[in-house]
């Protein structure tokens, strides 16, 4: 009986998909469409779509008044009556607005409606006023297939859709109906939409923001074949009862906020072939009833249970499912697998992921019984002993991918020598020491990751590169010495040799191997010599990082523009001389030349790099006027032009910054922190009151300059400020009491200025040490030992007009750029131009002396 039902189900799905495919083609009608139907379609086109949308979309090109509308693209007519019964305008690049009064709803005989993948097609159906006559979707009582996925349909699902009670009778497959609102930004609750649609066969509400609980009645939708609620914001406990003999074959709940245990009734879903509940909050053990999913004979079973809170022992029945093809149990708290010989595992299992659990002991022998296994991932568990104990007779002739990252492996497992068909191997972040065994260079390997170990060299002899097909080779973060090896032929895509001890020249012909290379990093080694010009042959390269070596000579003129895809170029911390390249790829995102001996000017061609976010040419000998023309770059976030004293930025989006009294890394500064650092220059003048407009600042450092005048009380507006350094200047007056309102301020250095009066108390000020105020002999009060003669109130200083000296002024412009993401990134260190997330444009003047014209002022520490 089950087999008959399965054949019936398979036939329904096949016929429905066959119909949907054929409905998108131009039909050959037996009956011309009716005049009023054509009129409604043309009216719908004219009132809905913009003129440019209509002219650009191939879907609407055939919609002409003097032709039969049944022959139009996307239109399906009833061959007997001429009524329009299908409208498919999916992937039409359409722009427009559909409201409840649209002429679309005059097509009362519509059975199928598909507007999917038209991102700019907006639906305004929010009106739920009670009126005596039906409107909107209420006028399409026969509609059985509705697909609005990835359109501009947003907001709460209108009540009128709940009247589509015949979303169950399809003209192609009598018991197959579809409701797809995936990717539409709709909101909950679901009850009003689904309560009347209990004959639906397919529901797809994924990629929305429903933010509600799953209604209990959903488990009673006995006709459901496919249910996709992934990434839709649902929460609460999943319904505990699934009906027996359910036809459900696909259940996708990924990345929801369900909690509790999986119900035992999950075992009633005997035809289930796709079950995805990854990234939820399910707890407890996996129900033994999952072992009942054994009726499938035509479909392979995929179970994705990763990233939950499951624990305990994985039951043997899970591995015995006859059609099991894909099983992921990663990122849970499973302690052990069934012992070897305890069950007869499925012969069809090809993918097994047990990574990031707490599996203990030797590698389970059960794995050696999986004869069809192609991909095996065991990373980040608590295995002990030798890996070879579990694999003495490993026979996995089809094993292609093996990941053993963070498995406490201390040497290369010898069983790997028997895996002659292995294509991908990850042994990273283990404790492997010594030389890299030469047998590891198997001719079948496409990807090899040995990073983050304690490897020191390469066993010889190395294989002939022509025998290898490596496209991904990662050796970073070891201590490998010697020359850069050529361990690829013509296929490399990613090569990472960074953070090692390679000490050779870069091979002169290295670029001849880089036809398809995307990523190349040899940073933080001991490489010497010049950059070979052949590297400019890498026409697909996106990331080139040669930083932190001992390279020298001039930079090849082609280096900035050899690849139209080049996004990150880092040549910092070397010994390059000469001038900067004069042309650059328009795709550049990060450009770093910091810490060299480069001269000349800032190339004007950078103004064409509209995607540039980070420009760091500090710590060189650049001699130029301030490049205000860079303010036109819409994405520029970090600009570093400091001529001396290094400031280093790496392609991994981390910045070393002196903050809070020590040096540390700000990870992902472009996304999280906002920082402004003008320290260690010769700026003069006063801090403008407009500094308080930079309300997204987390870090402000003006130390080691010649800034004078009062501290502006407007700093209290920087409510996110965590670090403030105004030390080693000539500031005077009182410390504004308003600064005590900065509740996030954990570091403030005002040392070595000419401040006076009582130090304010309250808030974070009560935790600051005396060192923050030293070198201000006229300051008194806690935490200094110097007592105030009389109780004084720390009043805000009176702001005076800014001095102006047109002969030597340096104009710092604060221009509001208004990023859509709401992030204001700090343009830090040296000469910095700061773009804020605001609407103001304010200039202030600071005196700037060129370092070659005025000796650096030295300060005492007392």
């Amino acid at each position: 009986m089950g087999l008959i039902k399965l054949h019936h189900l398979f036939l329904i799905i096949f016929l429905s998909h066959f119909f949907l495919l054929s409905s998108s083609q131009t039909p050959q009608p037996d009956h011309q469409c009716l005049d009023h139907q054509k009129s409604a379609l043309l009216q719908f086109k004219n009132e809905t779509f913009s003129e440019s949308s209509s002219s650009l979309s191939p879907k609407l090109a055939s919609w002409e008044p003097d032709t039969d509308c049944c022959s139009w693209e996307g239109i399906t007519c009833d061959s007997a009556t001429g009524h329009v019964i299908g409208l498919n305008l999916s992937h039409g690049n359409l722009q427009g607005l559909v409201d409840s009064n649209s002429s679309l709803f005059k097509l009362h005989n519509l059975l199928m409606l598909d507007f999917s993948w038209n991102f700019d097609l907006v639906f305004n159906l929010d009106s739920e006023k009670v009126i005596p006559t039906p409107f909107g979707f209420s006028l399409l009582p026969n509609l059985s297939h509705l697909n609005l996925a990835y359109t501009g349909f947003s907001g709460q699902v209108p009540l009128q859709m709940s009247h589509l009670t015949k979303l169950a009778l399809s003209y192609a497959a009598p018991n197959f109906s579809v409701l797809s609102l995936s990717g539409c930004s709709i909101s909950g609750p679901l009850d009003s939409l689904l309560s009347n649609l209990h004959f639906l066969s397919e529901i797809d509400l994924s990629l929305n923001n429903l933010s509600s609980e799953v209604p209990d009645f959903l488990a009673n939708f006995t006709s459901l074949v496919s249910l996709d609620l992934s990434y839709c914001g649902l929460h609460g406990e999943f319904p505990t009862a699934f009906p027996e003999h359910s036809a459900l074959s696909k259940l996708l709940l990924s990345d929801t906020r369900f909690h509790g245990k999986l119900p035992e009734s999950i075992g009633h879903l005997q035809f289930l072939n796709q079950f995805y509940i990854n990234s939820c909050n399910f707890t407890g053990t996996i129900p033994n009833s999952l072992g009942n999913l054994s009726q499938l004979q035509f479909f392979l079973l995929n179970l994705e249970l990763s990233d939950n809170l499951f624990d305990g022992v994985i039951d043997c029945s899970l591995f015995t499912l006859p059609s099991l093809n894909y099983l992921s149990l990663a990122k849970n708290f499973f302690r052990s697998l069934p012992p070897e010989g305890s069950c007869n595992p499925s012969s069809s299992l090809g993918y097994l992921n047990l990574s990031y659990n707490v599996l203990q002991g030797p590698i389970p022998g059960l794995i050696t019984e999986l004869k069809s296994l192609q991909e095996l991932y065991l990373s980040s568990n608590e295995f002990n002993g030798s890996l070879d104990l579990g694999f003495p007779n490993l026979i996995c002739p089809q094993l292609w991918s093996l990941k053993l990252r963070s498995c406490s492996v201390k040497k290369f497992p010898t069983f790997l020598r028997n895996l002659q068909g292995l294509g991908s191997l990850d042994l990273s972040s283990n404790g492997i020491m010594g030389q890299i065994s030469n047998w590891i260079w198997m001719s079948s390997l496409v990807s090899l990751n040995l990073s983050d170990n304690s490897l020191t060299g390469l066993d010889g002899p190395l294989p002939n590169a022509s025998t290898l097909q490596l496209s991904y080779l990662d050796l970073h973060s070891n201590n490998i010495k010697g020359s850069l090896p050529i361990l690829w032929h013509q296929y490399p895509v990613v090569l990472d040799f960074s953070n090692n001890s390679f000490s050779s020249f870069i091979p002169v012909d290295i670029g001849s191997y880089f036809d398809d290379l995307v990523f190349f990093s040899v940073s933080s080694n001991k490489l010497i010599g010049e950059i070979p010009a052949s590297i400019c042959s890498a026409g697909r390269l996106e990331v080139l990082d040669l930083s932190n070596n001992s390279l020298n000579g001039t930079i090849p003129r082609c280096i900035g523009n050899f690849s139209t895809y080049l996004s990150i170029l880092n040549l910092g911390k070397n010994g390059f001389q000469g001038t900067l390249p004069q042309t650059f790829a328009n795709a550049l995102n990060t450009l770093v030349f910091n810490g060299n001996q480069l001269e000349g000017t800032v190339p004007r061609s950078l103004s064409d790099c509209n995607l540039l976010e980070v420009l760091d040419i500090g710590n060189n000998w650049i001699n130029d006027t301030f490049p205000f023309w860079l303010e036109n770059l819409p994405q520029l976030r970090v600009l570093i032009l400091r001529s001396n004293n290094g400031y280093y930025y790496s392609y991994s989006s981390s910045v070393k910054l002196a903050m809070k009294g020590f040096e540390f890394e700000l990870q992902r500064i472009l996304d999280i922190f906002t920082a402004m650092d003008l320290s260690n220059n010769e700026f003069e003048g006063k801090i403008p009151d407009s500094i308080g407009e930079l309300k997204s600042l987390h870090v402000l450092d003006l130390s080691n300059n010649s800034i004078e005048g009062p501290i502006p009380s407007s700093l209290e507006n920087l409510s996110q400020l965590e670090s403030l350094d105004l030390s080693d200047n000539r500031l005077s007056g009182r410390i504004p009491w308003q600064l005590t309102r900065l509740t996030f301020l954990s570091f403030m250095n005002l040392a070595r200025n000419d401040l006076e009066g009582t130090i304010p108390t309250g808030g974070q000020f009560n935790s600051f040490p005396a060192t923050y105020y030293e070198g201000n002999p006229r300051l008194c009060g806690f935490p200094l030992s110097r007592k105030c003669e009389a109780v004084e109130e720390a009043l805000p200083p009176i702001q005076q007009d800014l001095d102006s000296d047109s002969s030597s002024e340096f104009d710092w412009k604060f221009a509001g750029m208004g990023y859509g993401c709401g992030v204001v990134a700090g343009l830090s260190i040296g000469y910095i131009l700061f773009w804020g997330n605001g609407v103001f444009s304010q200039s202030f003047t600071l005196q700037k002396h060129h370092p070659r014209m005025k000796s650096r002022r030295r300060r005492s520490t007392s």
Side-chain angles (χ1 to χ4, degrees), residues 692-719:
E693 298 293 332
L694 303 177
K695 296 181 180 179
S696 294
L697 272 179
H698 288 243
V699 179
L700 177 60
D701 190 346
L702 302 177
S703 63
N704 272 296
N705 283 287
S706 298
I707 302 172
E708 58 187 8
I711 300 173
S713 60
S714 63
L715 286 173
E716 72 167 315
N717 297 324
L718 308 183
S719 58

Side-chain angles (χ1 to χ4, degrees), residues 53 103 108 151 154 179 203 305 340 549 568 721 741 822:
S53 176
S103 298
H108 305 311
T151 64
S154 61
L179 172 63
I203 300 176
L305 313 180
E340 184 177 3
N549 280 285
I568 295 172
L721 198 65
R741 295 173 175 171

Side-chain angles (χ1 to χ4, degrees), residues 66 75 110 165 180 201 219 262 265 271 279 284 289-290 352 444 453 535 537 712 799 858:
D66 55 351
I75 301 298
L110 272 179
T165 56
S180 179
S201 298
L262 279 181
S265 61
F271 298 108
S279 301
S289 61
L290 271 182
L352 178 59
S444 59
N453 280 290
I535 206 166
S537 301
Q799 299 295 308
R858 306 291 180 185

Side-chain angles (χ1 to χ4, degrees), residues 632-742:
N632 296 320
L633 297 180
Q635 302 299 324
L636 191 61
R637 312 291 178 89
V638 176
L639 176 62
I640 303 167
L641 302 178
R642 185 177 191 178
S643 294
N644 294 286
N645 300 324
Y647 172 78
Y648 310 109
Y649 180 87
S650 71
Y651 68 82
S652 62
S653 292
S654 65
V655 176
K656 284 187 177 178
L657 182 65
M659 172 183 166
K660 300 183 182 178
F662 58 94
E663 193 172 78
F664 74 112
E665 285 196 353
L666 301 180
Q667 294 293 332
R668 296 182 58 80
I669 191 170
L670 298 182
D671 296 332
I672 300 174
F673 278 82
T674 63
M676 184 176 182
D677 191 327
L678 304 177
S679 62
N680 295 290
N681 281 287
E682 291 291 336
F683 296 126
E684 298 178 353
K686 296 174 180 168
I687 303 174
D689 193 62
S690 59
I691 196 78
E693 298 293 332
L694 303 177
K695 296 181 180 179
S696 294
L697 272 179
H698 288 243
V699 179
L700 177 60
D701 190 346
L702 302 177
S703 63
N704 272 296
N705 283 287
S706 298
I707 302 172
E708 58 187 8
I711 300 173
S713 60
S714 63
L715 286 173
E716 72 167 315
N717 297 324
L718 308 183
S719 58
Q720 304 300 314
L721 198 65
E722 298 178 36
S723 176
L724 175 63
D725 194 342
L726 303 178
S727 63
D728 293 290
N729 279 287
R730 298 173 181 172
L731 296 169
S732 58
R734 302 175 185 272
I735 301 173
W737 62 269
Q738 289 91 339
L739 298 187
T740 62
R741 295 173 175 171
L742 297 175

Side-chain angles (χ1 to χ4, degrees), residues 71-124:
S71 65
W72 292 352
E73 179 76 15
I75 301 298
T76 302
C77 292
D78 188 307
S79 59
T81 66
H83 287 122
V84 175
I85 57 175
L87 177 55
N88 184 353
L89 296 179
S90 62
H91 296 87
N93 194 30
L94 296 170
Q95 302 176 9
L97 173 66
V98 179
D99 60 27
S100 296
N101 297 315
S102 171
S103 298
L104 168 70
F105 300 115
K106 295 179 180 179
L107 302 172
H108 305 311
N109 297 96
L110 272 179
L111 301 178
M112 189 275 286
L113 184 58
D114 189 345
F115 286 124
S116 61
W117 295 97
N118 288 288
F119 296 103
D120 296 318
L121 184 59
V122 179
F123 291 79
N124 183 15

Side-chain angles (χ1 to χ4, degrees), residues 296-360:
L296 293 172
Q297 298 183 30
F298 297 102
F299 298 100
L300 293 175
L301 175 60
N302 295 330
L303 299 180
E304 172 58 87
L305 313 180
S306 64
D307 200 8
N308 279 283
L309 302 172
F310 293 123
D311 57 18
V313 178
I314 303 173
D315 190 74
C316 186
S317 61
L318 199 58
F319 289 92
T320 60
L321 295 170
S323 299
L324 185 63
N325 171 67
Y326 175 105
L327 177 60
S328 179
L329 303 174
K331 297 183 180 179
N332 280 287
F333 296 91
F334 293 115
R335 295 190 302 274
S336 64
L337 288 169
E340 184 177 3
S342 62
C343 55
N344 185 21
S346 171
S347 61
S348 61
L349 186 60
Y351 178 102
L352 178 59
N353 192 344
L354 301 173
S355 300
Y356 299 96
N357 278 283
V358 289
L359 298 173
Q360 301 172 352

Side-chain angles (χ1 to χ4, degrees), residues 13 20 232 281 318 503 512 545 562 565 586 659 690 844:
I13 295 175
L20 295 178
C232 69
N281 291 312
L318 199 58
S503 56
S512 62
D545 190 351
F562 64 91
Y565 304 98
N586 291 342
M659 172 183 166
S690 59
F844 71 93

